[in-house]
């Protein structure tokens, strides 16, 4: 059992910490946000604010899954650099034994070696490779299934500063049943970006095919179901709909595009992936306009606010741009989401939130389905009988055609 510290206890931090606890290690969760630590409680682990971290001794590894947002396409490393500087001048400096610092944030190639290691050395007065080790260990989990994915990964990527650093991290992962890829740090950074960019590309690709199929009267799901049986293609991320959201895909594709430009290399496919995705939510608005005409004072029920099912996360959710557009055009919105209501209320306090999908639909002139929550698949035809006009547009292919008739898919 080793003592590990997770600095940044958000989605990735909690999965990392809880995962290592499940593997028998002792974990201290650290976060700059006291609310996050309060919510974590202290059962089975310790919590610690950054200013007290230096009091912890005997630490074998510090994991850093800190937010790395983009602004105007450029990655903002301020949070991560702040945490690294704090670690350097505090716990790393005071820790007497050899330990490793593990970057878990998604960062562009050359960030760890170009910016973070120099900061660690400057603030700790110690030398990487001699006094402490460094690894870049990207995370590939899916939100909503974070802990499950951490414990059962497809692969573990260890970007190592030197062999000793990599050996220490590989030891911590030795109980996991997954191939461990050991490489240099910038390759590990690139593996994460290339993986996310590929998944985002798959989604924008299939949405483009879906938009074309719609015009040609073809069901894109008949096409993708057959495509997915080809092992070279695989069925995942072939679900056409209103586009991708979440905290990672747009930001990572933007950051990679930006990085690419900075070395005089135009990333044309990646730019197109973002363009297709930005336009996709508007397809549902266009369809609604054709069916409903003017939106003014029309009551529109929105089923699903989270960017995907099993999470309360609304970051970059397509529902945001759709609601904003409808509100601007004078529609009355009634939403329902089993988990994400509170987060959406911070963005749209003025719209109505229903207690259930059935309540949201009542008296609506139109209904848009925007998240693939399983419970929407249980809705029956009669549940929609209370609508003022029966206009149902599906953005996620979750309604069950055997239970509900007369609805249209956004691109099928
Ligand atoms: N969310 C995902 O599905 C996912 C998957 C893989 C990789 N990632 C990457 O992992 C990183 C973290 O993502 P996340 O979704 O967990 O973010 P998050 O916003 O949920 O969590 C980040 C945490 O870091 C904390 N923090 C910020 N500055 C700090 C500091 N100086 N000291 C201590 N804590 C600090 C924040 O308070 C927050 O709790 C990002 O780079 C992201 O791109 C995310």
């Amino acid at each position: 059992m080793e003592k590990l510290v997770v600095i940044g206890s958000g989605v990735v931090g909690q999965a990392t910490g809880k995962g290592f606890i499940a593997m028998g290690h002792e974990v201290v969760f650290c976060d700059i946000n006291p609310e996050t630590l309060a919510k974590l409680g202290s059962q089975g682990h310790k919590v610690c604010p950054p200013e007290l971290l230096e009091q912890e001794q005997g630490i074998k590894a510090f994991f850093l899954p800190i937010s790395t947002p983009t602004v105007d396409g450029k990655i903002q490393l301020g949070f991560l650099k702040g945490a690294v500087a704090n670690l350097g001048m505090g716990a790393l400096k005071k820790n007497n034994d050899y330990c490793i610092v593990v970057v878990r944030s998604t960062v562009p190639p050359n960030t760890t070696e170009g910016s973070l290691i120099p900061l660690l050395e400057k603030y700790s007065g110690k030398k990487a490779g001699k006094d402490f080790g460094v690894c870049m260990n990207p995370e590939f989990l899916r939100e909503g299934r974070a802990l499950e994915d951490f414990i059962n990964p497809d692969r573990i990527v260890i970007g190592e500063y030197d062999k000793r650093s990599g050996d220490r991290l590989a030891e911590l992962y030795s109980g996991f049943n997954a191939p461990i890829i050991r490489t240099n740090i910038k390759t590990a950074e690139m593996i994460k970006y290339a993986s996310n960019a590929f998944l985002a590309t798959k989604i924008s690709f299939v949405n483009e095919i879906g938009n074309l199929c719609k015009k040609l009267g073809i069901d894109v799901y008949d096409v993708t179901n057959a495509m997915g049986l080809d092992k070279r293609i695989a069925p995942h991320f072939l679900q056409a709909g209103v586009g991708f959201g979440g905290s990672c895909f747009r930001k990572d594709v933007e950051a990679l595009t930006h990085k690419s430009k900075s070395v005089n290399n135009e990333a044309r496919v990646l730019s197109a992936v973002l363009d297709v995705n930005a336009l996709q939510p508007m397809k549902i608005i266009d369809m609604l306009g054709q069916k409903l005409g003017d939106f003014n004072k029309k009551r529109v029920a929105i089923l699903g606010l989270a960017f995907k099912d099993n999470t309360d996360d609304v970051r970059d959710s397509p529902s945001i741009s759709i609601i904003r557009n409808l509100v601007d055009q004078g529609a009355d919105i009634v939403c329902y989401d089993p988990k994400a209501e509170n987060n959406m209320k911070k963005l749209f306090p003025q719209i109505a939130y229903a207690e259930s999908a059935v309540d949201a639909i009542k008296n609506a002139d139109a209904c848009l389905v925007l998240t693939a929550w399983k419970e929407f698949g249980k809705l029956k035809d009669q549940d929609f009988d209370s609508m003022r006009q029966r206009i149902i547009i599906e953005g996620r292919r979750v309604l069950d055609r055997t239970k509900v008739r007369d609805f249209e898919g956004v691109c099928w």
Side-chain angles (χ1 to χ4, degrees):
M1 179 168 99
E2 305 289 7
K3 183 169 176 182
L4 314 174
V5 171
V6 175
I7 306 176
S9 302
V11 175
V12 177
Q14 288 186 28
T16 304
K18 289 177 183 171
F20 278 122
I21 291 169
M23 300 306 284
H25 296 292
E26 181 188 344
V27 170
V28 180
F29 287 102
C30 170
D31 202 284
I32 205 168
N33 185 346
E35 273 176 38
T36 304
L37 294 183
K39 268 194 210 147
L40 263 167
S42 56
Q43 202 151 22
H45 57 255
K46 245 176 137 172
V47 294
C48 176
E51 61 279 11
L52 297 183
L53 198 54
E54 62 187 58
Q55 295 175 3
E56 298 294 330
Q57 283 300 313
I59 292 150
K60 296 291 178 204
F62 295 94
F63 289 86
L64 288 159
I66 304 269
S67 353
T68 50
T70 53
V71 172
D72 295 331
K74 193 169 181 300
I75 192 150
Q76 305 297 301
L77 294 171
F79 296 118
L80 182 57
K81 284 184 178 172
V84 162
N86 193 59
L87 173 62
M89 68 179 84
L92 184 60
K93 194 175 190 167
K94 304 270 162 65
N95 206 54
N96 294 326
D97 305 325
Y98 175 86
C99 61
I100 53 169
V101 177
V102 184
V103 177
R104 297 278 284 152
S105 300
T106 303
V107 290
N110 287 326
T111 302
T112 303
E113 281 161 303
S115 305
L116 305 180
I117 294 178
L119 278 179
L120 286 169
E121 291 183 329
K122 178 178 156 193
Y123 284 103
S124 68
K126 293 183 173 181
K127 191 90 194 78
K130 180 171 155 277
D131 307 313
F132 66 94
V134 181
C135 288
M136 197 281 152
N137 170 221
E139 177 53 61
F140 302 97
L141 59 77
R142 294 164 298 170
E143 248 184 86
R145 292 146 184 99
L147 181 57
E148 177 192 332
D149 283 359
F150 177 81
I151 291 175
N152 301 299
D154 291 337
R155 77 298 207 191
I156 293 160
V157 174
I158 296 179
E160 58 198 46
Y161 183 75
D162 57 1
K163 186 170 176 311
R164 190 179 178 200
S165 310
D167 284 349
R168 166 66 64 90
L169 189 55
E171 249 168 57
L172 294 176
Y173 280 115
S174 60
F176 288 63
N177 183 22
I180 295 183
I181 315 295
R182 289 180 63 166
T183 181
N184 62 37
I185 287 184
K186 67 180 172 187
T187 305
E189 291 167 333
M190 191 60 168
I191 289 170
K192 173 64 192 175
Y193 271 110
S195 301
N196 263 6
F198 183 73
L199 295 175
T201 303
K202 248 185 138 176
I203 298 174
S204 276
F205 172 84
V206 83
N207 283 337
E208 187 157 279
I209 296 292
N211 296 338
L212 177 60
C213 283
K214 178 91 185 163
K215 296 231 180 232
L216 299 176
I218 298 165
D219 185 336
V220 64
Y221 278 76
D222 289 343
V223 175
T224 51
N225 285 343
M227 281 172 70
L229 294 174
D230 185 326
K231 288 187 195 67
R232 295 166 303 176
I233 297 174
H236 319 288
F237 286 76
L238 283 186
Q239 288 71 34
V242 276
F244 58 75
S247 63
C248 292
F249 281 174
R250 180 189 51 82
K251 125 179 133 62
D252 292 351
V253 177
E254 278 181 358
L256 192 55
T257 310
H258 201 272
K259 182 76 193 175
S260 191
K261 264 196 200 127
S262 76
V263 290
N264 248 335
N265 184 63
E266 203 182 332
R268 291 193 177 84
V269 171
L270 299 184
S271 301
V273 167
L274 293 171
D275 290 348
V276 169
N277 197 59
L279 290 175
Q280 203 62 15
M282 293 308 116
K283 300 276 170 199
I284 215 163
I285 298 278
D286 291 347
M287 280 178 73
L288 186 62
Q290 281 161 22
K291 290 170 190 290
L292 202 55
D294 184 2
F295 295 155
N296 199 27
K297 299 266 181 279
K298 298 281 168 55
R299 189 178 165 96
V300 181
I302 306 275
L303 301 189
L305 301 170
F307 83 93
K308 64 161 154 175
D309 63 320
N310 274 337
T311 177
D312 65 355
D313 198 342
V314 298
R315 288 179 288 182
D316 262 6
S317 176
S319 62
I320 296 174
S321 52
I322 292 169
I323 293 174
R324 186 164 292 133
N325 189 298
L326 292 172
V327 167
D328 287 349
Q329 296 196 57
D332 291 330
I333 307 288
V334 190
C335 312
Y336 168 70
D337 189 287
K339 277 195 174 169
E341 177 181 324
N342 286 341
N343 284 334
M344 201 54 120
K345 271 186 181 156
K346 292 177 198 155
L347 299 177
F348 295 104
Q350 77 276 37
I351 61 176
Y353 294 84
E355 298 267 307
S356 68
V358 174
D359 278 351
I361 297 164
K362 264 181 211 148
N363 295 324
D365 293 292
C367 171
L368 309 180
V369 183
L370 302 183
T371 311
W373 284 106
K374 278 209 179 83
E375 65 176 78
F376 299 154
K378 293 184 187 142
L379 289 169
K380 295 185 290 296
D381 216 36
Q382 305 86 285
D383 294 323
F384 293 89
D385 285 348
S386 59
M387 292 180 75
R388 217 179 284 161
Q389 304 184 57
R390 201 184 162 94
I391 299 173
I392 307 164
I393 308 179
E394 240 285 37
R396 294 295 183 193
R397 190 80 158 206
V398 60
L399 294 182
D400 184 342
R401 266 196 195 283
T402 64
K403 294 187 185 133
V404 185
R405 64 190 160 86
D406 293 343
F407 63 86
E408 199 173 341
V410 64
C411 49
W412 59 91

